[in-house]
Amino acid sequence: MRNIHNKKRILACISMLLCFATMLSCTEWDEYKKYTKDGEIVYTGRFDTAVVFPGKERVRLWGLLTPDPKIVKCKILWGTTDSVIYDINTAESGNVFDQTFSVTEGTKSFTIYTYDADGNSSVAVTSTGNSYGARYRNTLYNRKIKSIDYDTDTTTIYWDIIDKMLGPVQMEIRYKAITGDTVVITPATQSTSILKGLQYQTEGFTYRTVFKPLPVKENVVCIDTFCTTYSSKGVPTFVEKELDRSLFKAASLTGDANAQGGSGGVVGMWDGKAQGDYGGTNFTDIGSGQSSPQMVTFNLGLKAKLSKITIYPFKEWYGYYDFSTLHQFEIWGSSTPSSSGALDGSWTLLTSAVLAKPSGQGSRSETAADVAAAIAGFTFDLDTNAPKVKYIRIRCLQNKEGFYNSNNEAFFSVAEVRLYGLLPQ
């Protein structure tokens, strides 16, 4: 009897649990029905890919749609109130979306929905992009001109460095050539522009720089470029100025003397190290096998009508007028040296000179005036009737020791050199 009673109690408990579970199930189902009382939720196909390309107060949105033929519209939102809507005809465009629209400057987050004909939307897709405007343009500047080499047939502009982070693309130069109006476009990666046929005696030129913002994401390139306003260079007025030594280059033509081991070589003549540094001077080799008289050649980087040269002697162990210092020497110039390196008709003698110690005292005896003169440098006039030159050759006939040395080789040293000529103001 007791077992039967216990079984009844167990069955009663099970029945109560089942009733409770049924009540819970009904409650959950009722809750669900509140959200589906208007029918099943339908989502339209969305963007699989969305890329925003920056532009000039606009952006280009390119994307790939899921293959859903029901898609008929696209809505793009950004900011708090800005939006655009486009009709979509996948039968014509396939699954590609490509539209450009106006956007104020700044970085924006774009939210994209697609819709079917019944107004059912897709799940939101977001993409970030930039629009460039006045703030970006105000950071841009026209590339500066370092120097100009005016010549009858070809004028060369030497550009200064420019900040690559601004996205410089090219320089555009406009001028009137003999053949008519001309535009020269030079990539910003280059440091020179060549203007052929510029009649610089009567005509100037204008120029501007073109920029494109650097991609903030790989391959997301700006769709627009930005240009500075044109700057102008009028008809040049020529005045005596120092040539830009940063344009100088070693030439090392056949017949030039080799550098003495440990010296700076030809480039040591414009490295700014004039005081007692063998690595900062040109010191020709005293070994055998050198040509005589010894010569060195360098490229000015442009053609110019020269007026004078200043030479700074190297300070040897016993002073500025000892041993290897130039004494008797020649300065030659050429616009296009002979390929053989010979001192032939392609060269013009610009001066023959003597570097004299002010006190006139012998070797290894220097007055304060002698030292001051060496530090200030010795300036020699050059033949202003000579044609323009691009190459300079220093030819030592005798050094301060008064010799071709025992091997009949007039080795010599020059700490620094400066050239002056008629250059555009």
Side-chain angles (χ1 to χ4, degrees):
M1 245 346 244
R2 185 176 294 175
N3 289 337
I4 293 172
H5 182 70
N6 289 336
K7 287 180 180 180
K8 288 181 178 180
R9 292 179 63 187
I10 292 171
L11 288 173
C13 290
I14 292 172
S15 297
M16 290 178 65
L17 288 173
L18 288 172
C19 289
F20 183 68
T22 301
M23 291 174 63
L24 286 177
S25 299
C26 291
T27 302
E28 290 175 359
W29 178 251
D30 287 342
E31 288 296 319
Y32 171 77
K33 288 169 68 176
K34 285 196 304 184
Y35 298 103
T36 60
K37 62 182 180 180
D38 295 325
E40 182 182 357
I41 296 176
V42 177
Y43 288 106
T44 306
R46 64 183 180 85
F47 273 70
D48 269 346
T49 303
V51 181
V52 179
F53 293 88
K56 185 186 296 182
E57 295 180 340
R58 62 178 187 163
V59 299
R60 172 193 172 200
L61 177 61
W62 182 93
L64 292 176
L65 299 161
T66 55
D68 184 350
K70 299 191 302 296
I71 298 174
V72 296
K73 285 187 183 296
C74 170
K75 186 174 184 180
I76 307 163
L77 304 95
W78 67 98
T80 55
T81 59
D82 297 311
S83 66
V84 289
I85 298 175
Y86 291 100
D87 292 329
I88 295 178
N89 186 342
T90 55
E92 294 180 358
S93 63
N95 296 328
V96 176
F97 179 89
D98 194 351
Q99 294 290 344
T100 300
F101 48 93
S102 298
V103 175
T104 57
E105 184 173 18
T107 301
K108 315 290 184 182
S109 178
F110 298 89
T111 303
I112 310 157
Y113 295 93
T114 57
Y115 297 86
D116 64 15
D118 295 325
N120 297 308
S121 75
S122 68
V123 175
V125 174
T126 60
S127 186
T128 303
N130 294 323
S131 172
Y132 293 95
R135 289 198 302 273
Y136 172 72
R137 284 194 293 269
N138 289 338
T139 67
L140 307 180
Y141 57 89
N142 217 349
R143 188 169 186 176
K144 294 180 180 179
I145 293 176
K146 181 183 286 188
S147 59
I148 305 174
D149 179 8
Y150 289 98
D151 205 1
T152 305
D153 298 322
T154 300
T155 292
T156 304
I157 299 173
Y158 295 88
W159 300 100
D160 207 342
I161 59 174
I162 190 167
D163 186 356
K164 295 180 180 179
M165 297 305 295
L166 294 176
V169 177
Q170 62 193 31
M171 291 76 69
E172 297 178 356
I173 307 100
R174 297 178 180 270
Y175 66 99
K176 184 175 290 186
I178 298 172
T179 55
D181 292 345
T182 303
V183 177
V184 171
I185 296 176
T186 303
T189 53
Q190 298 184 15
S191 58
T192 59
S193 293
I194 305 298
L195 312 185
K196 294 183 178 181
L198 171 66
Q199 299 173 286
Y200 69 87
Q201 297 91 344
T202 57
E203 298 288 343
F205 62 87
T206 59
Y207 62 98
R208 69 179 182 181
T209 308
V210 180
F211 295 84
K212 178 177 285 190
L214 296 179
V216 294
K217 300 176 185 176
E218 187 176 3
N219 298 324
V220 182
V221 180
C222 186
I223 61 175
D224 294 312
T225 57
F226 296 76
C227 302
T228 61
T229 57
Y230 278 99
S231 297
S232 62
K233 283 286 184 181
V235 176
T237 300
F238 290 90
V239 297
E240 186 179 63
K241 295 167 62 177
E242 181 183 354
L243 273 65
D244 183 357
R245 299 199 301 169
S246 70
L247 300 177
F248 293 3
K249 300 176 183 177
S252 300
L253 300 182
T254 301
D256 285 347
N258 296 326
Q260 166 74 359
S263 79
V266 177
V267 297
M269 292 194 294
W270 54 86
D271 63 0
K273 301 176 182 178
Q275 303 298 319
D277 182 353
Y278 278 100
T281 187
N282 177 79
F283 195 120
T284 63
D285 203 335
I286 61 176
S288 60
Q290 297 295 301
S291 61
S292 180
Q294 287 193 0
M295 305 180 296
V296 294
T297 308
F298 59 97
N299 184 337
L300 299 174
L302 52 76
K303 286 198 290 186
K305 182 173 280 292
L306 301 180
S307 57
K308 62 187 180 184
I309 184 171
T310 299
I311 293 175
Y312 298 81
F314 174 60
K315 186 178 182 181
E316 273 282 4
W317 296 302
Y318 297 100
Y320 290 98
Y321 304 86
D322 179 59
F323 185 47
S324 64
T325 302
L326 283 171
H327 182 56
Q328 295 181 19
F329 62 95
E330 297 170 341
I331 304 295
W332 294 76
S334 173
S335 60
T336 310
S338 169
S339 58
S340 68
L343 199 60
D344 55 17
S346 64
W347 291 89
T348 300
L349 180 63
L350 301 179
T351 191
S352 295
V354 174
L355 193 156
K357 185 187 296 186
S359 68
Q361 295 183 6
S363 177
R364 300 180 184 179
S365 176
E366 296 177 359
T367 66
D370 293 336
V371 173
I375 294 174
F378 291 86
T379 299
F380 304 93
D381 292 332
L382 303 178
D383 184 2
T384 54
N385 292 319
K388 288 184 175 182
V389 300
K390 189 174 183 178
Y391 293 83
I392 288 293
R393 175 168 267 177
I394 301 174
R395 184 170 183 253
C396 178
L397 303 178
Q398 188 180 80
N399 60 30
K400 277 299 179 183
E401 283 295 327
F403 65 131
Y404 301 129
N405 65 9
S406 58
N407 292 314
N408 201 35
E409 297 157 356
F411 61 89
F412 66 99
S413 63
V414 174
E416 291 285 306
V417 62
R418 297 179 183 273
L419 272 297
Y420 299 82
L422 296 179
L423 299 175
Q425 193 170 25

